[in-house]
C-alpha cells in the first residue's frame, strides 16, 4: 500500500492521560466520549463533543490497592459501568454523564464483570433499557437504570454456564421488532467458546428457555490471554462480527431476519463464516497471537506487541502496520489494548500513560481490487467508485470468458466497457475468430448502453446488427432445409428475435437503407413487417394483394393511422379479390366516401356473376342509402342501374317508390336522376318502373298510356293519382275507358255490360254520354237504356239540389239583413258613477266641467263617450289621446288627421246653419258621419284595456328608441357636479 494513500493513520491524542492517577488499565469509547480506568481506582472521562473532562474516584472507602478492572460506556456516551478489583473483593459501579457521584450495584458485589452488552436499538440518554452483564464465574445478569431514579431499577440473574464454567469475556446484543414482539440476539464468548442465544419476549424469558434446550456454541482449540467479541455497527445495526479466539479470528456476517437454528450449532443469523488463521499473520515459523483487536468495515486491527497490523477481512492480507510514538518507559511494556467508537467511526489504542487515536480514511476505496483479485465480480462492481474501475472489472470478466471461448458471455461484458477499450478493438476481436453471433450480441448490448443523443452511432450499429441478423437467417436456411417447416427450429427463433429488434429499432434505423437490405436478402415478409412499422402501408397492402390475402390487406387499411386515400386506391383490386370481405370492411370503416368507390364497384359489376349469388355492390350501396342516408346522386344512380339489370323488378320498384328525403322540410324526395332512370328502364324494358317514373315526373298521360300496354289495373291506379286537376283526371279515365272498350272482343251486349261496369269504378267521374263516342255507330240505343236513365236521374237530382241551395242562400240573406237592423238598435246601460278608464272622472260629466270633444254631437250637456261590451267606458277625447299615445306613429297621424277633418266639417256646418237644421245641413253632414265612422274604427274597434293594444304594450320598452336621444339629454354629467351649488329649500 502506498504510504501516501494510507487507510489508517495514528495520532497521539494525549501523552499523560492518566493525570497521575496511576497507570491506564482499561478504556472504553462512544460518541466522542472516552473513559479511562486507572490502577488507583479512578475513572477519567473526556467528552470531546462538549470539551469537558472530569475524574471519578471509585476507591473511596475501600482499603488497600484498588484498580479499575473493566470500564464500559454505551454508544451514546451517557451510561458508564465500571468494576473495581482490590484486596476487599470486586465492586461494580454505574454512573451517568450528568451524575457527580457513581452508584454501587450492591447485587453484583463480589462479582467481577468482564463484559457488558448494550441494547443499541432502544437505549436513550435517560434510560439504559435492558443491559446484559457477563461475569468471570460464567454468569449473565440483566440490569436496567433510569437516570431520574438515581439508582438501578433492578438486577436479575439470567444464565450460568454449568457444563464448562468459564468466564464470559465479551458480550454483544442485537434486537429486532417483529409482529409477535421483540426478538433478542445475544452472542457471548469465553476463552474457548462462542455462545449464541436468541428468542422472543423479555431477556428473562429468552434465557429461561435455555434451561430446557441445548445452548448453541462454537468451540475452537487453543489459548489466548484475552478473548474478544466485536460487532461492526453501521447505522445502528450490526453488519458482521469477529471473535478473537485461540485458533484464529472467527468472523462472519449477521442476518437478524432469521428465526431458526442451523445444524452446525450457530444460530442461522450468522452467515458466511470464516476463520483467519494466525499463521497467515506471522513472518516467522511460530504464529503470534494478538493481544487485542478492533473491527472496521473491511479490516481487522490486530494489536501485536507495540504494533497494530491492519488485515483485510476479505483477502486476509496485511495491508498496513501502525507504529505508536511511545515514551521510553512505555515501550518495554507495549501497547495495552484497543477500543473503538462505533458512533464516531474512530479507533483508540492506549498504553500505561498515553492514548492514541486511529483514524480511517476511506477504507473501501480499493476494495474493488480486492474483490476482483478474488474473482468476486459482483462485489467488486458494488465497490467501484468510478466508470474506469467498473471497466476494469468488466474487462477481466470479458477476457476470462473470451479465453474460455465463451464468446456470447464475453460479448456481454465487452459491451459494458466504455473507456479502456475502443469499439473497434472489441469488434475486431470477434471478427478475427469469425464469431458472428457473439458480434451481433455485442452490438445489441452496446445499443442498450448508448445514450439517446448518440444518434449517428445508434443508427450505424443498428444497421450493422440488421445485416448480421439477415446473414444468420440465410446461413440457417442453408444449413437446414427443414428449418422453415419446423416451427421450433432456431430459424424461427431468430426470425422472432429479428422482428423484435426491428420493432425496437424502427425509429433509429434508416428507412431506405434497411428496406434495401431486406430486399437484397430476399426477406419479403420482414420487408413488409418493417414497412408496417414505418407506416409504409402502401407497400404492405400491395404485398398482401399479390399474395391473395385480401383479409390481411383490409385489416391493414382499417388501422386508424392509415390514410383513407389508400382505401380508394386499392378498392378495385380488393373487391375483385374478395368482394365479401371488401364490402364488409367498407361497411365498418368510418368517414368513407362511397362516391370514390364507384369505379371499383362498376368494375366488379361489369363482371359476370352467378344468378343466385349475392351481389356485394348492391349490398354496400343499400347500406349507404338506407343506413348512412347517403344523398349522392351518383350512388343512387348506380344502385338504380344495378336494380334495373336484375330479372326481378320488385327491388327496382321498391327503390323508386322509397322517399329518401322524407321528413325534411325542403329538398327532394329522391336523389337519383329521373331522366337517367327513365332511359335506363326503357332500355332494360322495365315498363312498370317507367310508369312510376312518368307519374313521378307529372307526365300522367304518358304514364297511363304506357300502363295500358302493361296492365289496365295499373293504368286505373295511375289515373286515380291525379286529384287536383279534375279535367286531367277525367281525360285519363277516358283514355282507360277507350282502351278497355277497344280491347273487349266478346259479344256486343257483353261489351256494353262491361263498359257500364267500368263506369261504376270511376265513382261518377264518367257518364254514359262520355263513353258513347267510343262505341260503333251501329250500336242500338236499347243496349244503353238503363245507363241513360240512370244518368238522367242523376241530372234531375243535381237540379233539385241546386234549387235547395238557392232557397237556403235566400233565407240566409234575409237573416243577415234582420241582424243588421237589430244591431242598429243595440244599447248599453251606464251607471251614473261609472268612471272613465283614462282620466278616472265620471262618464256622465256635464259639458261645463269637461270640454266637449270636437267633431262629436253632445248628448244634452254631457261629453261624448264610448262604451265597450267588456264594460270599460272612456270619454271620446280620453280614448283618442290614449290610443294615439299607445299606437305607432303612422296610425297616430291617421287618427289626428281624421279628428282634424271632422272638426273642420263640423264647424262649417254649424256656421252655415246658424243653429237651424235645414235639408242642406243634413245633406252636408253625410261626410261628417263617414269621417266619424272611420275615426270610430280607428280608435274604438276594440277595448284598449282588453284588446291587442294592451298585449303589445307589455313588450314595449319604457324608453322607445326614438326617445333615446331625448333621454340622454337629461343625464347628469359627473364632471359638472363640482360646479353646482346646493340650494336650501325651506319647508
Amino acid at each position: 500500500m502506498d504510504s501516501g494513500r494510507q487507510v489508517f493513520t495514528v495520532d497521539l491524542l494525549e501523552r499523560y492521560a492518566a493525570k497521575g492517577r496511576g497507570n491506564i488499565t482499561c478504556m472504553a469509547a462512544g460518541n466522542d466520549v472516552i473513559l479511562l480506568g486507572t490502577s488507583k481506582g479512578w475513572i477519567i472521562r473526556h467528552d470531546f463533543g462538549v470539551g469537558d473532562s472530569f475524574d471519578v474516584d471509585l476507591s473511596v472507602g475501600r482499603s488497600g490497592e484498588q484498580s479499575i478492572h473493566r470500564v464500559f460506556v454505551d454508544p451514546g456516551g451517557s451510561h458508564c459501568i465500571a468494576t473495581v478489583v482490590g484486596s476487599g473483593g470486586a465492586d461494580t459501579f454505574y454512573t451517568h454523564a450528568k451524575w457527580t457521584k457513581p452508584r454501587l450495584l450492591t447485587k453484583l458485589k463480589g462479582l467481577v464483570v468482564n463484559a457488558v452488552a448494550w441494547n443499541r436499538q432502544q437505549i436513550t440518554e435517560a434510560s439504559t433499557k435492558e443491559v446484559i452483564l457477563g461475569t468471570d464465574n460464567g454468569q449473565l445478569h440483566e440490569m436496567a437504570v433510569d437516570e431520574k431514579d438515581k439508582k438501578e431499577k433492578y438486577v436479575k440473574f439470567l444464565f450460568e454456564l454449568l457444563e464448562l464454567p468459564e468466564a464470559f469475556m465479551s458480550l454483544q446484543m442485537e434486537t429486532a421488532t417483529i409482529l409477535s414482539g421483540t426478538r433478542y440476539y445475544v452472542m457471548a464468548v469465553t476463552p474457548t467458546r462462542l455462545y449464541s442465544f436468541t428468542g422472543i419476549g423479555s431477556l428473562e424469558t429468552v434465557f429461561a428457555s435455555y434451561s430446557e434446550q441445548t445452548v448453541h456454541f462454537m468451540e475452537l482449540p487453543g489459548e489466548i490471554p484475552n478473548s474478544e467479541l466485536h460487532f461492526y455497527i453501521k447505522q445502528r445495526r450490526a453488519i458482521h462480527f469477529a471473535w478473537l479466539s485461540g485458533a484464529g479470528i472467527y468472523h462472519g456476517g449477521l442476518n437478524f431476519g432469521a428465526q431458526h437454528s442451523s445444524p452446525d450449532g450457530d444460530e442461522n443469523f450468522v452467515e458466511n463464516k470464516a476463520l483467519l488463521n494466525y499463521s497467515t499473520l506471522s513472518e516467522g515459523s511460530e504464529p503470534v497471537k494478538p493481544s487485542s483487536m478492533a473491527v472496521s468495515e473491511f479490516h481487522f486491527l490486530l494489536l501485536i506487541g507495540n504494533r497494530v497490523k491492519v488485515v483485510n477481512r476479505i483477502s486476509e492480507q496485511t495491508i498496513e502496520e501502525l507504529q505508536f510514538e511511545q515514551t521510553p518507559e512505555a515501550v518495554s511494556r507495549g501497547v495495552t489494548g484497543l477500543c473503538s467508537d462505533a458512533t464516531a467511526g474512530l479507533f483508540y489504542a492506549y498504553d500505561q500513560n498515553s492514548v492514541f487515536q486511529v483514524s480511517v480514511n476511506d477504507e473501501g476505496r480499493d476494495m474493488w481490487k480486492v474483490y476482483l483479485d478474488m474473482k468476486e465480480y459482483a462485489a467488486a462492481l458494488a465497490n467501484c467508485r468510478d466508470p474506469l474501475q467498473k471497466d476494469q472489472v468488466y474487462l477481466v470478466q470479458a477476457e476470462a470468458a473470451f479465453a474460455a471461448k465463451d464468446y456470447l458471455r464475453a460479448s456481454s461484458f465487452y459491451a459494458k466497457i466504455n473507456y479502456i477499450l475502443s469499439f473497434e478493438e472489441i469488434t475486431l476481436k470477434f471478427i478475427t475468430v469469425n464469431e458472428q453471433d457473439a458480434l451481433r450480441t455485442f452490438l445489441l448490448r452496446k445499443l442498450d448502453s448508448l445514450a439517446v443523443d448518440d444518434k449517428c452511432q445508434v443508427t450505424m450499429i443498428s444497421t450493422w446488427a440488421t445485416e448480421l441478423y439477415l446473414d444468420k437467417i440465410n446461413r440457417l436456411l442453408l444449413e437446414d432445409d427443414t428449418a422453415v417447416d419446423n416451427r421450433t427450429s432456431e430459424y424461427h427463433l431468430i426470425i422472432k428475435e429479428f422482428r423484435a429488434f426491428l420493432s425496437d429499432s424502427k425509429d433509429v434505423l434508416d428507412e431506405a437503407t434497411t428496406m434495401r437490405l431486406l430486399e437484397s436478402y430476399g426477406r419479403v415478409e420482414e420487408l413488409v413487417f418493417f414497412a408496417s412499422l414505418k407506416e409504409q402501408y402502401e407497400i404492405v397492402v400491395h404485398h398482401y394483394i399479390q399474395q391473395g390475402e385480401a383479409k390481411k390487406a383490409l385489416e391493414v387499411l382499417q388501422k386508424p393511422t392509415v390514410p383513407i386515400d389508400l382505401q380508394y386506391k386499392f378498392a378495385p383490386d380488393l373487391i375483385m379479390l374478395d368482394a365479401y370481405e371488401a364490402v364488409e370492411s367498407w361497411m365498418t370503416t368510418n368517414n368513407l366516401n362511397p362516391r370514390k368507390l364507384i369505379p371499383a364497384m362498376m368494375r366488379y359489376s361489369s363482371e359476370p356473376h352467378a344468378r343466385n349469388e349475392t351481389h356485394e355492390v348492391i349490398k354496400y350501396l343499400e347500406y349507404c342509402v338506407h343506413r348512412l342516408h347517403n344523398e349522392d346522386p351518383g350512388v343512387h344512380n348506380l344502385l338504380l342501374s344495378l336494380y334495373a339489370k336484375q330479372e326481378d323488378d320488385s327491388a327496382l320498384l321498391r327503390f323508386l317508390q322509397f322517399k329518401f328525403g322524407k321528413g325534411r322540410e325542403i329538398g327532394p324526395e329522391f336523389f337519383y336522376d329521373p331522366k337517367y332512370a327513365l332511359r335506363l328502364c326503357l332500355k332494360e324494358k322495365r315498363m312498370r318502373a317507367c310508369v312510376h317514373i312518368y307519374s313521378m315526373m307529372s307526365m300522367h298521360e304518358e304514364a297511363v298510356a304506357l300502363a295500358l300496354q302493361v296492365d289496365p289495373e295499373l293504368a286505373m291506379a295511375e289515373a286515380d293519382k291525379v286529384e287536383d286537376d279534375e279535367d286531367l283526371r277525367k281525360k285519363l279515365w277516358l283514355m282507360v275507358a277507350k282502351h278497355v272498350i277497344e280491347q273487349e272482343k266478346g259479344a256486343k251486349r257483353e261489351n256494353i255490360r262491361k263498359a257500364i261496369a267500368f263506369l261504376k269504378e270511376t265513382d261518377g267521374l264518367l257518364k254514359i254520354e262520355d263513353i258513347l263516342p267510343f262505341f260503333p255507330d251501329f250500336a242500338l240505343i236499347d243496349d244503353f237504356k238503363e245507363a241513360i236513365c240512370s244518368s238522367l236521374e242523376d241530372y234531375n237530382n243535381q237540379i233539385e239540389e241546386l234549387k235547395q241551395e238557392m232557397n237556403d242562400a235566400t233565407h240566409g240573406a234575409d237573416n243577415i239583413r234582420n241582424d243588421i237592423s237589430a244591431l242598429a238598435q243595440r244599447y248599453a246601460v251606464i251607471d251614473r258613477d261609472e268612471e272613465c278608464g283614462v282620466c278616472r272622472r265620471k262618464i256622465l260629466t256635464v259639458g261645463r266641467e269637461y270640454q266637449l270633444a270636437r267633431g262629436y254631437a253632445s248628448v244634452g250637456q254631457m261629453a261624448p263617450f264610448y262604451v265597450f261590451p267588456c264594460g270599460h267606458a272612456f270619454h271620446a277625447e280620453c280614448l283618442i289621446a290614449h290610443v294615439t299615445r299607445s299606437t305607432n306613429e303612422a296610425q297616430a297621424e291617421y287618427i289626428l288627421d281624421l279628428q282634424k277633418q271632422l272638426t273642420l266639417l263640423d264647424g262649417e256646418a254649424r256656421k252655415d246653419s246658424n243653429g237651424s237644421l235645414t235639408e242642406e245641413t243634413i245633406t252636408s253632414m253625410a261626410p261628417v258621419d263617414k269621417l266619424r265612422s272611420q275615426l270610430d274604427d280607428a280608435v274604438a274597434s276594440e277595448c284598449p284595456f282588453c284588446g291587442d293594444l294592451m298585449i303589445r304594450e307589455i313588450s314595449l320598452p319604457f324608453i322607445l328608441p326614438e326617445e333615446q336621444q331625448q333621454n340622454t339629454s337629461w343625464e347628469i354629467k359627473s364632471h359638472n357636479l363640482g360646479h353646482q351649488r346646493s340650494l336650501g329649500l325651506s319647508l
Side-chain angles (χ1 to χ4, degrees):
M1 179 70 66
D2 184 6
S3 60
R5 300 181 67 247
Q6 284 189 338
V7 178
F8 293 87
T9 56
V10 178
D11 297 301
L12 176 64
L13 189 62
E14 190 171 357
R15 175 67 70 187
Y16 299 101
K19 299 181 180 181
R21 308 293 188 183
N23 297 326
I24 300 174
T25 58
C26 55
M27 180 178 178
N31 196 24
D32 273 340
V33 174
I34 64 172
L35 295 174
L36 303 175
T38 70
S39 59
K40 293 184 178 181
W42 284 81
I43 298 292
I44 302 173
R45 177 186 174 93
H46 295 279
D47 191 341
F48 298 108
V50 297
D52 189 18
S53 177
F54 63 88
D55 306 338
V56 178
D57 187 4
L58 300 183
S59 64
V60 177
R62 296 170 59 89
S63 60
E65 289 291 333
Q66 306 294 326
S67 176
I68 304 298
H69 174 65
R70 291 287 177 89
V71 63
F72 307 95
V73 67
D74 76 294
S78 299
H79 308 281
C80 171
I81 296 175
T83 300
V84 182
V85 179
S87 57
D91 285 323
T92 302
F93 292 86
Y94 168 83
T95 185
H96 192 273
K98 296 181 179 179
W99 294 2
T100 58
K101 184 179 179 180
R103 176 68 63 181
L104 175 64
L105 303 176
T106 57
K107 291 185 179 181
L108 296 175
K109 187 172 180 62
L111 297 176
V112 178
V113 177
N114 287 337
V116 172
W118 305 96
N119 189 343
R120 281 184 298 271
Q121 274 65 48
Q122 299 184 14
I123 193 169
T124 63
E125 183 181 357
S127 175
T128 62
K129 300 300 181 181
E130 301 88 349
V131 179
I132 303 177
L133 308 177
T135 63
D136 63 348
N137 62 348
Q139 293 181 354
L140 296 177
H141 297 265
E142 178 187 356
M143 182 195 76
V145 180
D146 284 346
E147 183 268 333
K148 63 181 180 179
D149 295 337
K150 302 301 181 183
K151 65 177 182 178
E152 72 276 13
K153 294 179 68 174
Y154 59 83
V155 176
K156 300 177 183 178
F157 171 79
L158 292 177
F159 180 77
E160 184 177 9
L161 292 175
L162 298 176
E163 179 189 355
L164 180 63
E166 288 185 313
F168 281 112
M169 304 302 295
S170 188
L171 287 173
Q172 294 289 345
M173 176 171 57
E174 195 79 11
T175 61
T177 302
I178 59 178
L179 293 177
S180 56
T182 301
R183 187 176 186 91
Y184 289 91
Y185 303 90
V186 180
M187 294 182 75
V189 295
T190 66
T192 60
R193 290 183 177 182
L194 168 64
Y195 291 92
S196 299
F197 306 90
T198 183
I200 301 173
S202 64
L203 279 174
E204 194 172 11
T205 304
V206 171
F207 282 96
S209 66
Y210 284 96
S211 62
E212 300 176 357
Q213 61 177 326
T214 305
V215 180
H216 302 281
F217 63 88
M218 165 65 72
E219 186 173 8
L220 294 176
E223 296 180 359
I224 193 167
N226 186 24
S227 178
E228 297 181 11
L229 176 66
H230 295 277
F231 278 6
Y232 172 70
I233 310 300
K234 188 174 184 180
Q235 297 177 353
R236 299 186 65 184
R237 178 64 66 183
I239 305 301
H240 57 260
F241 76 97
W243 173 30
L244 184 64
S245 69
I249 300 174
Y250 180 69
H251 61 96
L254 296 172
N255 179 11
F256 296 110
Q259 300 181 8
H260 304 287
S261 298
S262 59
D264 62 357
D266 286 335
E267 297 291 337
N268 74 338
F269 57 81
V270 177
E271 56 189 16
N272 300 325
K273 298 177 288 291
L275 180 64
L276 174 61
N277 200 301
Y278 295 134
S279 61
T280 61
L281 306 177
S282 61
E283 298 175 358
S285 58
E286 185 69 23
V288 180
K289 298 179 181 179
S291 59
S292 185
M293 179 180 70
V295 178
S296 69
E297 184 174 5
F298 297 108
H299 299 88
F300 299 133
L301 280 70
L302 304 177
L303 178 60
I304 302 176
N306 290 343
R307 298 174 300 168
V308 172
K309 282 193 174 185
V310 180
V311 180
N312 190 286
R313 180 170 56 87
I314 307 302
S315 65
E316 299 184 352
Q317 299 295 317
T318 302
I319 64 167
E320 292 177 354
E321 284 193 7
L322 307 180
Q323 303 285 342
F324 300 96
E325 297 179 3
Q326 294 180 278
T327 59
E329 61 272 14
V331 171
S332 59
R333 297 182 181 180
V335 177
T336 306
L338 298 173
C339 75
S340 61
D341 184 348
T343 306
L346 297 173
F347 301 91
Y348 298 96
Y350 61 94
D351 58 16
Q352 290 183 351
N353 293 307
S354 304
V355 177
F356 303 91
Q357 178 178 300
V358 180
S359 303
V360 184
N361 180 25
D362 192 12
E363 64 171 321
R365 66 192 178 196
D366 293 323
M367 287 305 298
W368 69 275
K369 286 185 178 179
V370 174
Y371 284 114
L372 184 59
D373 293 340
M374 298 176 65
K375 297 184 179 181
E376 295 184 12
Y377 302 117
L381 287 173
N383 286 274
C384 287
R385 302 291 181 85
D386 56 58
L388 286 175
Q389 294 177 0
K390 290 184 178 181
D391 275 5
Q392 294 183 55
V393 178
Y394 292 136
L395 179 60
V396 171
Q397 296 180 81
E399 290 180 344
F402 197 89
K405 296 185 178 181
D406 189 354
Y407 298 112
L408 291 177
R409 187 165 178 267
S411 65
S412 298
F413 289 122
Y414 276 126
K416 297 177 182 180
I417 298 174
N418 296 315
Y419 301 102
I420 61 177
L421 274 184
S422 66
F423 176 81
E424 293 79 4
E425 289 177 295
I426 297 172
T427 53
L428 284 173
K429 283 178 176 291
F430 294 109
I431 294 174
T432 302
V433 295
N434 195 25
E435 280 295 327
Q436 300 294 327
D437 293 342
L439 177 60
R440 186 180 72 251
T441 303
F442 167 72
L443 296 178
L444 295 177
R445 298 293 182 272
K446 196 66 179 177
L447 282 174
D448 295 336
S449 63
L450 288 175
V452 180
D453 297 334
D454 302 329
K455 294 182 179 179
C456 183
Q457 269 188 298
V458 170
T459 300
M460 295 287 288
I461 295 175
S462 299
T463 306
W464 192 0
T466 301
E467 189 167 9
L468 290 175
Y469 267 119
L470 293 171
D471 180 67
K472 175 69 173 179
I473 292 170
N474 277 2
R475 283 191 284 111
L476 289 174
L477 287 175
L478 293 173
E479 293 170 1
D480 186 3
D481 297 335
T482 63
V484 178
D485 300 328
N486 185 4
R487 305 303 298 178
T488 60
S489 63
E490 185 183 359
Y491 168 78
H492 287 284
L493 293 177
I494 202 70
I495 287 289
K496 185 177 180 181
E497 183 182 336
F498 180 43
R499 291 193 177 190
F501 169 75
L502 291 176
S503 298
D504 295 337
S505 307
K506 63 182 177 65
D507 295 327
V508 297
L509 284 169
D510 181 70
E511 182 178 328
T513 304
T514 305
M515 286 190 173
R516 282 198 300 270
L517 268 176
L518 293 169
E519 187 177 1
S520 63
Y521 277 86
R523 302 306 304 176
V524 179
E525 293 184 358
E526 282 69 38
L527 175 63
V528 171
F529 178 78
F530 183 72
S532 178
L533 292 175
K534 298 298 290 184
E535 297 185 354
Q536 294 290 339
Y537 299 112
E538 187 171 349
I539 297 174
V540 179
V541 175
H542 183 70
H543 167 74
Y544 285 135
I545 290 176
Q546 284 185 332
Q547 297 296 319
E549 297 178 346
K551 193 169 184 178
K552 289 185 178 180
L554 290 166
E555 288 175 357
V556 174
L557 291 174
Q558 284 181 331
K559 292 182 179 180
T561 55
V562 177
I564 198 70
D565 291 341
L566 291 184
Q567 289 271 14
Y568 310 130
K569 181 175 182 178
F570 291 104
D573 295 329
L574 287 170
I575 197 171
M576 295 301 295
L577 188 60
D578 192 332
Y580 173 79
E581 291 293 345
V583 168
E584 289 295 323
S585 174
W586 293 348
M587 290 193 295
T588 57
T589 303
N590 297 326
N591 304 322
L592 201 60
N593 186 358
R595 183 179 185 86
K596 295 184 178 181
L597 297 173
I598 288 177
M601 291 187 286
M602 293 185 68
R603 177 184 173 186
Y604 172 78
S605 302
S606 63
E607 297 292 328
H609 300 282
R611 180 172 299 180
N612 57 352
E613 180 184 354
T614 302
H615 203 297
E616 298 299 332
V617 171
I618 292 179
K619 181 174 73 173
Y620 176 66
L621 292 175
E622 288 176 343
Y623 171 80
C624 295
V625 170
H626 298 293
R627 294 287 297 278
L628 301 181
H629 305 291
N630 187 280
E631 300 179 1
D632 192 334
V635 173
H636 286 254
N637 288 338
L638 178 58
L639 180 57
L640 180 68
S641 67
L642 296 176
Y643 278 145
K645 294 177 182 179
Q646 291 183 329
E647 295 182 3
D648 185 4
D649 62 353
S650 58
L652 175 61
L653 292 174
R654 284 196 303 271
F655 178 77
L656 293 173
Q657 294 167 4
F658 191 83
K659 295 183 178 180
F660 298 99
K662 62 182 178 180
R664 302 195 314 176
E665 295 182 359
I666 57 174
E669 292 183 349
F670 54 89
F671 303 104
Y672 53 84
D673 184 359
K675 296 180 180 178
Y676 168 77
L678 182 61
R679 290 196 302 271
L680 185 66
C681 292
L682 288 173
K683 177 183 177 182
E684 299 293 337
K685 295 182 172 54
R686 305 299 178 193
M687 296 307 173
R688 288 182 178 272
C690 293
V691 170
H692 177 81
I693 297 172
Y694 275 133
S695 176
M696 184 181 60
M697 297 172 66
S698 299
M699 301 172 67
H700 300 290
E701 294 186 32
E702 290 82 352
V704 171
L706 185 58
L708 290 174
Q709 300 177 16
V710 180
D711 184 3
E713 295 293 334
L714 178 61
M716 294 178 189
E718 289 297 323
D720 262 343
K721 289 182 180 179
V722 181
E723 296 180 354
D724 53 348
D725 190 344
E726 192 70 21
D727 293 338
L728 177 59
R729 186 164 178 262
K730 187 174 182 178
K731 182 178 180 181
L732 296 176
W733 274 105
L734 286 174
M735 292 173 62
V736 177
K738 182 179 180 181
H739 178 80
V740 170
I741 293 171
E742 291 177 351
Q743 292 299 317
E744 292 297 336
K745 302 298 183 182
K748 294 180 180 179
R749 291 184 178 274
E750 184 180 353
N751 293 346
I752 293 172
R753 282 196 301 272
K754 290 183 178 181
I756 294 172
F758 175 77
L759 290 177
K760 294 179 180 179
E761 293 182 9
T762 62
D763 293 331
L765 181 64
L766 297 182
K767 304 295 182 181
I768 187 64
E769 60 271 23
D770 295 325
I771 65 172
L772 283 177
F774 301 144
F775 287 96
D777 295 338
F778 48 82
L780 298 177
I781 195 65
D782 293 341
D783 297 330
F784 303 98
K785 180 178 180 181
E786 294 181 4
I788 293 172
C789 291
S790 176
S791 178
L792 292 174
E793 288 179 1
D794 290 339
Y795 284 128
N796 187 42
N797 292 335
Q798 291 177 9
I799 292 171
E800 293 298 327
E801 289 176 359
L802 288 174
K803 288 181 179 180
Q804 185 62 37
E805 289 176 0
M806 292 173 64
N807 292 334
D808 293 342
T810 302
H811 290 305
D814 293 339
N815 292 333
I816 292 172
R817 280 192 289 272
N818 294 334
D819 290 341
I820 293 173
S821 299
L823 185 62
Q825 304 299 322
R826 188 177 58 174
Y827 64 92
V829 178
I830 298 298
D831 188 53
R832 65 178 182 177
D833 295 329
E834 182 74 24
E835 295 179 350
C836 174
V838 178
C839 67
R840 312 309 298 175
R841 295 189 179 186
K842 293 182 179 180
I843 287 294
L844 303 180
T845 305
V846 295
R848 292 188 184 91
E849 297 179 357
Y850 193 92
Q851 183 180 359
L852 295 179
R854 291 170 295 176
Y856 287 88
S858 62
V859 182
Q861 293 188 358
M862 284 181 277
F865 58 88
Y866 288 94
V867 179
F868 292 92
C870 61
H872 291 113
F874 304 91
H875 290 117
E877 191 70 19
C878 294
L879 180 63
I880 293 172
H882 177 74
V883 173
T884 304
R885 186 169 57 252
S886 302
T887 189
N888 56 59
E889 185 176 354
Q891 183 69 12
E893 290 180 357
Y894 173 69
I895 294 171
L896 292 175
D897 184 60
L898 289 175
Q899 188 179 19
K900 181 178 180 181
Q901 294 182 37
L902 188 62
T903 303
L904 292 174
L905 290 175
D906 184 63
E908 291 177 359
R910 291 179 183 276
K911 182 178 179 181
D912 293 341
S913 62
N914 292 323
S916 61
L917 193 64
T918 63
E919 183 179 355
E920 290 80 5
T921 301
I922 295 173
T923 306
S924 66
M925 288 180 67
V928 174
D929 293 337
K930 182 178 179 182
L931 289 173
R932 187 176 293 116
S933 176
Q934 293 177 354
L935 184 60
D936 289 344
D937 292 340
V939 300
S941 60
E942 61 179 359
C943 176
F945 287 177
C946 302
D948 294 339
L949 184 63
M950 177 61 71
I951 295 173
R952 288 195 301 271
E953 284 185 346
I954 293 174
S955 61
L956 293 177
F958 290 110
I959 300 174
L960 299 175
E962 57 269 17
E963 298 173 342
Q964 187 64 38
Q965 184 175 2
Q966 183 179 2
N967 175 65
T968 306
S969 66
W970 281 87
E971 290 183 358
I972 300 176
K973 306 298 183 180
S974 59
H975 61 272
N976 293 330
L977 294 176
H979 302 287
Q980 293 179 353
R981 295 180 180 179
S982 60
L983 299 176
L985 299 177
S986 58
L987 300 176

